[in-house]
Amino acid sequence: MVAARCAALLLGMMLGRAGAEKEAVDSLLVELVGEDRVEQAMEQGLLDQLVQAAGQRQAAREGLLAEMGSLLELPAAESGKRFALGDVHGFLHVYEEREDGRWAEIWVSEYLEGRIGGLALADADGDKREELIIYTEQGRFFYLDPATYQATWSNPPHEYQRLNAMLVCNLDEDEALELVFCADGRLVIYDGRDHFEEWRSTQADLGSTQILVGDVDGDGAEEIVLNDGYVFDARFRDLEWQSPESFGERLGLRDVDEDGIPEVIGEFQGRFLRIFDIDLRREKSARH
């Protein structure tokens, strides 16, 4: 019972609903293990376990919100936590948490000329300040100040007709990041600071909906992995492998065989998983 109460209070702390709850958690730890054993309990990871339990409870309550590409936690304001949500109608909404744990809309954008496909928070232009980056399915992307939500830059209208996926990352180790996206059937690498195309693929039939970057073949250099089965060298842009089949609708990277090389784990139909060894150019065997 005490552990459950402690987890509930920790959950409240994680959600930013009660600034005084840390003292309550401390007192509950004393109640749970005794004043003379609190430090030992902390060293043994009791508090970490309670935080994990609280996080799991919150995940169960919120479902897949953390995995939605058009929903993004923003820097907290003095008045509370905030998140942004881009909707299918082409508007960006900002919500703030109230003291009672409820959320209220505090800002909504003008029409952004297309369904919002994804959000990111990153210093794309190397000015030491993060931008709220938005892309729409109809080919537009916007930089917004994450504190004022005022637009600081956007690409020209009609530059692209359709964007399927975008990732913000550093491919060339300079201060500015790149926007890596699939637009009009091609993979495009776009300079995040000077706003120009660095490169576009010769392949013109890409339908990728997710992009990952990582060293997936163990050669010491990163690759760009598209969920529809293409793997490009991230620095020289060469096509390293075109899989005869898709890697799945959603992707993740994890080394599951202790060889030091992450495998691509793909999700199909929202629940079925397959593992791909990119270095071996094949799906991982179900049994060794």
Side-chain angles (χ1 to χ4, degrees), residues 109-124:
S109 70
E110 300 293 330
Y111 178 57
L112 296 177
E113 302 179 28
R115 296 186 291 186
I116 294 178
L119 307 176
L121 194 64
D123 178 13

Side-chain angles (χ1 to χ4, degrees), residues 2 6 35 69 126 154 262 268 276 278 285:
V2 174
C6 197
E35 186 172 359
S154 64
F268 294 77
F276 297 87
I278 304 302
S285 174

Side-chain angles (χ1 to χ4, degrees), residues 95-130:
Y95 297 88
E96 184 175 84
E97 189 178 28
R98 301 310 189 199
E99 290 186 359
D100 62 3
R102 300 181 182 183
W103 294 86
E105 183 180 83
I106 60 169
W107 182 83
V108 61
S109 70
E110 300 293 330
Y111 178 57
L112 296 177
E113 302 179 28
R115 296 186 291 186
I116 294 178
L119 307 176
L121 194 64
D123 178 13
D125 55 12
D127 64 355
K128 310 302 182 184
R129 294 175 298 189
E130 290 185 322

